[in-house]
């Protein structure tokens, strides 16, 4: 959580630490995973909690970052993701690190067919897909940097991690950035904006919905 938070919103331009995607941002963290893992039932509670914060407490929440995966299909979790989307909260999910086609071997939550979900593969710094990254021409939407990502870790320090979990917060931060400059958009409009501005990338062609990588240059 600490590492992905730095990628989403680490403040830049201050000569310290790392620069995240959206420098002026507030984040809410929900924790359902511990040292021994977690349960899908508690994942549902976490997603519903965020939706409740928007509905009953009027927090301006536009996306959740979901750098986690595991477990089989859960109608309750899909329903929670859909309920969030109905309140214009996108669910951004890590595609997973199994080097697999998740069209044929689903990896949840990235494989849910929810309209409000964006699934993210990992790219190396040279634009090739990371060898560990899952893919799927119908299940994975786009790629983003996920190899050797330097970001914040506990105890006021920094570290380099790799994984689709590191690619996902680049997209979540991009959504926050776009929403900040284009207030009032629906989840569908935000998703269309992110997927509609990707840069065509050879390693993503035939592997993702867009065939491209995240591009925030027009935001």
């Amino acid at each position: 959580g600490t590492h992905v938070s730095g990628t989403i919103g680490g403040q830049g331009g201050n000569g310290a630490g790392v620069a995240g995607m959206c420098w002026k941002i507030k984040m809410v963290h929900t924790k359902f995973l511990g040292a021994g893992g977690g349960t899908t039932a508690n994942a549902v509670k976490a997603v519903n909690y965020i939706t409740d914060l928007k509905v009953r407490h009027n927090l301006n929440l536009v996306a959740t970052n979901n750098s986690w995966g595991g477990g089989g299909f859960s109608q309750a979790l899909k329903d929670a993701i859909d309920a969030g989307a109905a309140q214009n909260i996108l669910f951004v999910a890590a595609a997973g690190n199994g080097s697999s086609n998740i069209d044929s071997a689903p990896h949840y939550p990235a494989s849910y067919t929810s309209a409000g979900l964006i699934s993210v593969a990992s790219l190396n710094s040279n634009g090739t897909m990371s060898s560990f990254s899952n893919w799927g021409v119908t299940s994975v939407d786009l790629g983003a940097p996920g190899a050797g990502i330097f970001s914040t870790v506990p105890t006021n320090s920094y570290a380099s991690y790799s994984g689709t979990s590191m690619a996902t917060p680049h997209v979540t931060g991009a959504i926050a950035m776009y929403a900040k400059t284009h207030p009032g958009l629906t989840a569908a409009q935000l998703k269309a904006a992110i997927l509609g501005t990707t840069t065509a990338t050879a390693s993503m062609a035939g592997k993702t919905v867009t065939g491209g990588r995240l591009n925030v240059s027009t935001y």
Side-chain angles (χ1 to χ4, degrees):
T2 305
H3 198 272
V4 301
S5 295
T7 300
I8 293 170
Q11 186 174 353
N14 59 5
V18 297
M21 296 295 294
C22 188
W23 295 359
K24 294 183 179 180
I25 188 173
K26 290 184 178 179
M27 288 176 269
V28 175
H29 298 97
T30 60
K31 181 176 181 178
F32 72 95
L33 297 171
T39 67
T40 300
N42 283 336
V44 171
K45 290 180 181 179
V47 175
N48 285 336
Y49 176 72
I50 294 297
T51 304
D52 181 71
L53 285 178
K54 186 165 189 177
V55 172
R56 294 201 302 127
H57 300 279
N58 201 33
L59 270 66
N60 182 26
L61 301 169
V62 296
T64 59
N65 186 85
N66 299 275
S67 290
W68 58 275
F73 177 87
S74 164
Q75 187 63 51
L77 181 53
K78 184 181 185 303
D79 289 346
I81 294 168
D82 291 340
Q87 299 300 326
N88 298 315
I89 304 172
L90 290 171
F91 185 99
V92 190
N97 304 324
S99 306
S100 301
N101 180 353
I102 64 172
D103 288 348
S104 55
H107 174 79
Y108 296 105
S111 292
Y112 287 117
T113 57
S114 300
L117 186 147
I118 297 177
S119 176
V120 188
S122 173
L123 291 170
N124 299 318
S125 59
N126 61 2
T128 60
M129 187 171 69
S130 302
S131 61
F132 56 75
S133 182
N134 287 344
W135 74 91
V137 71
T138 61
S139 301
V140 180
D141 292 298
L142 76 168
I149 304 302
F150 195 68
S151 189
T152 46
V153 293
T155 67
N156 297 317
S157 189
Y158 306 91
S160 177
Y161 292 169
S162 296
T164 56
S165 288
M166 282 62 255
T168 303
H170 285 90
V171 177
T172 308
I175 292 168
M177 185 193 310
Y178 195 88
K180 191 175 183 66
T181 56
H182 300 78
L185 296 184
T186 65
Q189 289 170 326
L190 278 172
K191 181 175 179 177
I194 297 298
L195 301 189
T197 54
T198 57
T199 297
T201 304
S203 67
M204 295 287 97
K207 299 283 189 179
T208 59
V209 173
T210 64
R213 66 182 185 272
L214 180 68
N215 180 358
V216 301
S217 63
T218 61
Y219 295 4

